[in-house]
Structure formats: structure tokens, C-alpha cells
């Protein structure tokens, strides 16, 4: 059973990455076609497209990392491992912060508050989101500096006695854990704040609707709920991926490549692959395009089946 586990998990990794890449490719393709037709793209569609591209990159890195570390370890030397880690840092940064920017954009576009500060931010939603996103590049540079320093330590650039190398290894591990926590905690906190404010905005909206006797079924309520579903699903999948990442880092520091490490690597692929389907279902344009695609596939299968039956009857 233990020997069978890597094979089973390899199949799960491949299935997740194929489905996730297909969903993200669909998001990017639909938005790019719409961009070409209209000669413009909305802020939300731009974020979704960039998010899809970053997640396709992340899934490709996950597959290569799995192949090198589990299926073919000889090619996974220190240099390759360093390149993979730095590429992952970049793609994961953009994936997290683009998802966080989408949460903030939903909050500013959908929520209704009478605060002057909120109204000021609401009127400048696109500019606010862009400023937050570009501001995070400073954090990315710092993260890359720490990652490259840790990579140099692992490649034995720093020479010294065994005690000194052990201390450098401990420092590298500690700095890696701290930077991972900070890199994940900040966008998580901002997205959590956004969803809590959306919940409060929805509660106020429903209260106003009940007082006016209009009921609770209206377009604003539906928009609130869909935005909350998208952000909450992102947070839940993000938490799973975060703890899987922390466990993987801890196991790598103890030189363990056990079953738990392999399961954690599979769980890390769950976030960039699964959340894309939720984004498709929560976006009206993407949902309609996806349903239209499914209808076309079903019609094509029916035509192919009827053609096959006709050929069979002719042969008989």
C-alpha cells in the first residue's frame, strides 16, 4: 500500500493540474476574446485573466516539482530546486495578491456603506486596487531576496565548519517560515476583512428590504451572495494550501519525504485548480460561456453518436 501511494497521488496531481489548467485557460480565453471584441477590458476581467495565467504557471511548477522530487529525484539537484522555488515564489505571490485584489474589488463595487471614506474608495475602486497590487511588489522583492539567500545556503556557497553550517541552516529555515507566514497572512487578513464587510453589508441590505416590505430576493442580494461565495471559497482553499505548505517546509527541514509530505503536495494543488471553477460559476459572463460550451460539446457528442449508428446500420 505504501508503494502504491505515490502512484495514486501522482494520478491525483495530474488530474488536478489538467482540470485546473483547463479551467484557468478557459477564463483567460473568454476574457481575451471579449477584450478583442470590445477593445477594452474591465478591472475585474483583467484581474481574473492575470489570476488565471499565474495559476497555470503555479500548476506547471507543482507538476515539475512532483516529477523531480517524487518520480525522478536525480534531476532535482540544488540548482533546479532553487529555480523552482524562486519561480513558485513569484507565481504564488501574484496568485495570492490577485485573488486578494479581486476580493477588495468585490467589496468596493458591491457593498453599500454611508461612510465618506468608503464612498471615496468606492468611486476610485480601480485605482485603489491597482495601488494595493503594485505596492505588494516591494514585498515580493524582499521575499525573493530571502529565497535566493536560502538557495545559496543550500548550494553550500557559504563555506565553514559543521557548526556554522548548521546555524546557517537553522537561520534559513526560520527566515523561510517567517516569510511564508507573512506572505500568506497579509492577503488572507485583507480578504477575510473584505468578506466580513460583505456579510455586514448584506445584513444591512436585507434589513432595509424587510423594513420596506420588498422581500429578500433582488439582484443586489444575489450579487452579494455570489461575491461572498467566491471569497469564502478562496479563504477555505487558501487555509488548506497554507497549512500544507508549512508542513512541507517542516518536513524538508527534517529531511523527511514521507507519505504526509506527498499528501501535502497534492493538497497544495487543490487551491489553484479548484477555485477557478468557483470563479467561473460566480461570474455571469464566464458561467454563460461555460454552459454554452457544454451544450456545444453535448450536441457534438450526439451528432457523433448518430453518425456512428448510421454507419453501423449501413454496414449491416
Amino acid at each position: 500500500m505504501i508503494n502504491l501511494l505515490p502512484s495514486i497521488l501522482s494520478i491525483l496531481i495530474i488530474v488536478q493540474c489538467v482540470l485546473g489548467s483547463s479551467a484557468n485557460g478557459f477564463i483567460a480565453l473568454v476574457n481575451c476574446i471579449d477584450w478583442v471584441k470590445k477593445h477594452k477590458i474591465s478591472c475585474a476581467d483583467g484581474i481574473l485573466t492575470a489570476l488565471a495565467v499565474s495559476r497555470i504557471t503555479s500548476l506547471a511548477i507543482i507538476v515539475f516539482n512532483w516529477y523531480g522530487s517524487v518520480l525522478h529525484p536525480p534531476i532535482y539537484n540544488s540548482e533546479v530546486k532553487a529555480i523552482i522555488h524562486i519561480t513558485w515564489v513569484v507565481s504564488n505571490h501574484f496568485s495570492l495578491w490577485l485573488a486578494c485584489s479581486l476580493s477588495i474589488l468585490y467589496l468596493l463595487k458591491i457593498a453599500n456603506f454611508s461612510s465618506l471614506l468608503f464612498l471615496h474608495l468606492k468611486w476610485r475602486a480601480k485605482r485603489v486596487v491597482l495601488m494595493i497590487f503594485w505596492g505588494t511588489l516591494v514585498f515580493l522583492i524582499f521575499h525573493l531576496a530571502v529565497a535566493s539567500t536560502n538557495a545559496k545556503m543550500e548550494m553550500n556557497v557559504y563555506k565553514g565548519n559543521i557548526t556554522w553550517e548548521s546555524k546557517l541552516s537553522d537561520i534559513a529555515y526560520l527566515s523561510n517560515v517567517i516569510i511564508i507566514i507573512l506572505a500568506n497572512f497579509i492577503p488572507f487578513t485583507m480578504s477575510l476583512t473584505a468578506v466580513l464587510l460583505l456579510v455586514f453589508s448584506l445584513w444591512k441590505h436585507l434589513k432595509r428590504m424587510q423594513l420596506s416590505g420588498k422581500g429578500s430576493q433582488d439582484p443586489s442580494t444575489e450579487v452579494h451572495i455570489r461575491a461572498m461565495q467566491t471569497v469564502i471559497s478562496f479563504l477555505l482553499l487558501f487555509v488548506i494550501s497554507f497549512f500544507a505548505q508549512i508542513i512541507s517546509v517542516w518536513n524538508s527541514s527534517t529531511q523527511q519525504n514521507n507519505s504526509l509530505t506527498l499528501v501535502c503536495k497534492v493538497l497544495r494543488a487543490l487551491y489553484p485548480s479548484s477555485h477557478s471553477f468557483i470563479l467561473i460559476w460566480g461570474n455571469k459572463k464566464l458561467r454563460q460561456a461555460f454552459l454554452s460550451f457544454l451544450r456545444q460539446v453535448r450536441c457534438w457528442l450526439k451528432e457523433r453518436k448518430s453518425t456512428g449508428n448510421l454507419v453501423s446500420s449501413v454496414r449491416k
Side-chain angles (χ1 to χ4, degrees), residues 180-218:
I180 287 174
I181 292 174
L182 288 176
N184 290 273
F185 178 75
I186 296 174
F188 173 80
T189 304
M190 294 177 69
S191 298
L192 180 61
T193 303
V195 75
L196 291 176
L197 289 174
L198 279 171
V199 171
F200 183 61
S201 174
L202 177 61
W203 175 76
K204 289 182 63 178
H205 173 72
L206 292 176
K207 192 174 181 180
R208 286 195 300 267
M209 295 293 289
Q210 288 177 354
L211 291 175
S212 61
K214 295 181 179 179
S216 59
Q217 299 298 324
D218 71 310

Side-chain angles (χ1 to χ4, degrees), residues 29-219:
L29 181 62
V30 170
N31 285 330
C32 286
I33 291 174
D34 191 59
W35 187 4
V36 171
K37 287 182 179 179
K38 296 181 179 179
H39 303 289
K40 63 178 181 179
I41 188 169
S42 66
C43 184
D45 288 345
I47 293 175
L48 283 171
T49 304
L51 180 60
V53 174
S54 67
R55 284 178 170 173
I56 291 173
T57 305
S58 297
L59 290 170
I61 295 170
I62 288 172
V63 170
F64 191 86
N65 178 60
W66 181 270
Y67 176 77
S69 61
V70 178
L71 301 179
H72 197 61
I75 69 167
Y76 206 61
N77 53 37
S78 299
E79 291 80 4
V80 174
K81 186 177 180 181
I83 294 172
I84 289 295
H85 179 63
I86 290 174
T87 309
W88 168 260
V89 167
V90 176
S91 65
N92 189 58
H93 172 89
F94 284 113
S95 178
L96 287 179
W97 280 105
L98 285 167
C100 177
S101 300
L102 191 64
S103 304
I104 295 171
L105 183 65
Y106 285 160
L107 171 66
L108 295 177
K109 288 288 188 179
I110 297 173
N112 292 310
F113 296 107
S114 58
S115 169
L116 291 178
L117 176 61
F118 182 82
L119 292 175
H120 178 78
L121 296 175
K122 189 180 184 71
W123 293 332
R124 296 164 176 79
K126 182 178 179 179
R127 187 180 301 177
V128 170
V129 170
L130 289 176
M131 287 179 62
I132 292 174
F133 179 74
W134 291 118
T136 63
L137 294 181
V138 176
F139 190 78
L140 175 61
I141 293 172
F142 178 72
H143 196 172
L144 286 174
V146 174
S148 60
T149 302
N150 292 342
K152 289 179 180 179
M153 290 181 182
E154 290 183 3
M155 287 188 288
N156 296 321
V157 172
Y158 298 102
K159 300 296 181 180
N161 56 40
I162 297 177
T163 304
W164 180 239
E165 288 182 359
S166 178
K167 289 182 179 179
L168 286 176
S169 178
D170 291 339
I171 293 172
Y173 168 72
L174 183 61
S175 62
N176 198 24
V177 171
I178 292 173
I179 200 69
I180 287 174
I181 292 174
L182 288 176
N184 290 273
F185 178 75
I186 296 174
F188 173 80
T189 304
M190 294 177 69
S191 298
L192 180 61
T193 303
V195 75
L196 291 176
L197 289 174
L198 279 171
V199 171
F200 183 61
S201 174
L202 177 61
W203 175 76
K204 289 182 63 178
H205 173 72
L206 292 176
K207 192 174 181 180
R208 286 195 300 267
M209 295 293 289
Q210 288 177 354
L211 291 175
S212 61
K214 295 181 179 179
S216 59
Q217 299 298 324
D218 71 310

